[in-house]
Amino acid sequence: MVAEQLINYMVPPLKKEDDITRAKQWMDEFSVKQLPVIDKQKLLGFISEELLYDSGIMNAAVGEYPLTGESCFVVVGSHYYDILKVKNNHDMEMVAVLDFDENFKGVVLESDVVREFTHTAIVNSDGAIITLKISLNEYSLSEISRIVEMNESIILGTNIRPDKDDPSLIEVVLRINHQSVNQIVTGLSKSGYLVTSSFNAEDNSHNERDRYGLLMKYLNP
């Protein structure tokens, strides 16, 4: 899924000459805290709810406010992973989408991307979950897949993120197509991988079931 397919046409852009009353009404109507501001189909930036209600700034038109997020955009063919990266870099709830001539096409909300992510195999498929902690230099998905496939299973999806305590490490989340992964965990451990947790739906432990449910709630809000 690319940016052009995720545009939320319910959220309109403001023109720089629009008054703040319209901006406030639209933010309230569409339940957003930012809105894009354009001029002749070119993105000028975003105006925030915080600015509009700042008693120290009393401008008549939105274009007179100090806009932010001028570079908070992706082009129409960008993958939704890139949308999330740009959103996180700018700490925004939406990202503008531009065509290849830099004309404004619309915005993608964070919630739109999350909704799309919940349709991926790592979230939406049945199966167990294994999390590993690995040195970035030693990471090899092909080697991990080989160990999983030796136990007559396959990896349905992966998610990788840096370890918050050690930037040289990464956390790898694996979605496996089988519910019981005890043999896979043993195989990974014997091969030198640090298995930090496994969420096995067939485990009779109430604690494991609770942890599994919490992870699913996190991945599929």
Side-chain angles (χ1 to χ4, degrees), residues 140-155:
S140 171
L141 183 58
S142 60
E143 174 62 18
I144 295 171
S145 297
R146 184 188 66 81
I147 297 170
V148 172
E149 291 168 4
M150 284 177 59
N151 289 277
E152 300 181 349
S153 300
I154 61 173
I155 297 174

Side-chain angles (χ1 to χ4, degrees), residues 159-187:
N159 188 41
I160 301 172
R161 62 183 179 186
D163 183 79
K164 62 181 180 180
D165 298 319
D166 187 344
S168 68
L169 300 177
I170 56 174
E171 182 184 67
V172 181
V173 181
L174 307 173
R175 167 75 84 172
I176 309 299
N177 68 323
H178 286 163
Q179 301 287 11
S180 179
V181 291
N182 293 334
Q183 290 183 337
I184 297 174
V185 169
T186 300

Side-chain angles (χ1 to χ4, degrees), residues 48-210:
S48 67
E49 182 182 60
E50 182 180 2
L51 276 177
L52 290 179
Y53 287 94
D54 187 339
S55 59
I57 306 176
M58 299 296 291
N59 295 326
V62 296
E64 299 173 5
Y65 282 77
L67 304 178
T68 60
E70 297 89 344
S71 58
C72 185
F73 66 85
V74 296
V75 295
V76 288
S78 299
H79 191 272
Y80 64 81
Y81 284 178
D82 294 323
I83 298 174
L84 286 177
K85 180 179 179 181
V86 172
K87 184 207 79 69
N88 289 338
N89 287 344
H90 290 84
D91 193 25
M92 302 278 280
E93 67 175 356
M94 64 180 67
V95 174
V97 180
L98 309 184
D99 65 18
F100 294 106
D101 294 320
E102 298 187 350
N103 293 313
F104 179 85
K105 303 299 291 184
V107 296
V108 178
L109 302 183
E110 179 183 10
S111 57
D112 298 324
V113 182
V114 171
R115 188 178 303 109
E116 179 61 26
F117 180 69
T118 61
H119 295 155
T120 62
I122 195 170
V123 174
N124 208 37
S125 299
D126 292 330
I129 289 176
I130 299 172
T131 61
L132 311 173
K133 190 170 289 188
I134 307 172
S135 167
L136 182 60
N137 295 330
E138 297 176 353
Y139 172 67
S140 171
L141 183 58
S142 60
E143 174 62 18
I144 295 171
S145 297
R146 184 188 66 81
I147 297 170
V148 172
E149 291 168 4
M150 284 177 59
N151 289 277
E152 300 181 349
S153 300
I154 61 173
I155 297 174
L156 296 174
T158 62
N159 188 41
I160 301 172
R161 62 183 179 186
D163 183 79
K164 62 181 180 180
D165 298 319
D166 187 344
S168 68
L169 300 177
I170 56 174
E171 182 184 67
V172 181
V173 181
L174 307 173
R175 167 75 84 172
I176 309 299
N177 68 323
H178 286 163
Q179 301 287 11
S180 179
V181 291
N182 293 334
Q183 290 183 337
I184 297 174
V185 169
T186 300
L188 289 167
S189 298
K190 288 182 177 179
S191 297
Y193 291 100
L194 176 60
V195 179
T196 56
S197 61
S198 63
F199 301 89
N200 184 342
E202 289 185 345
D203 198 318
N204 290 324
S205 165
H206 291 294
N207 183 51
E208 285 296 311
R209 287 180 180 274
D210 290 344

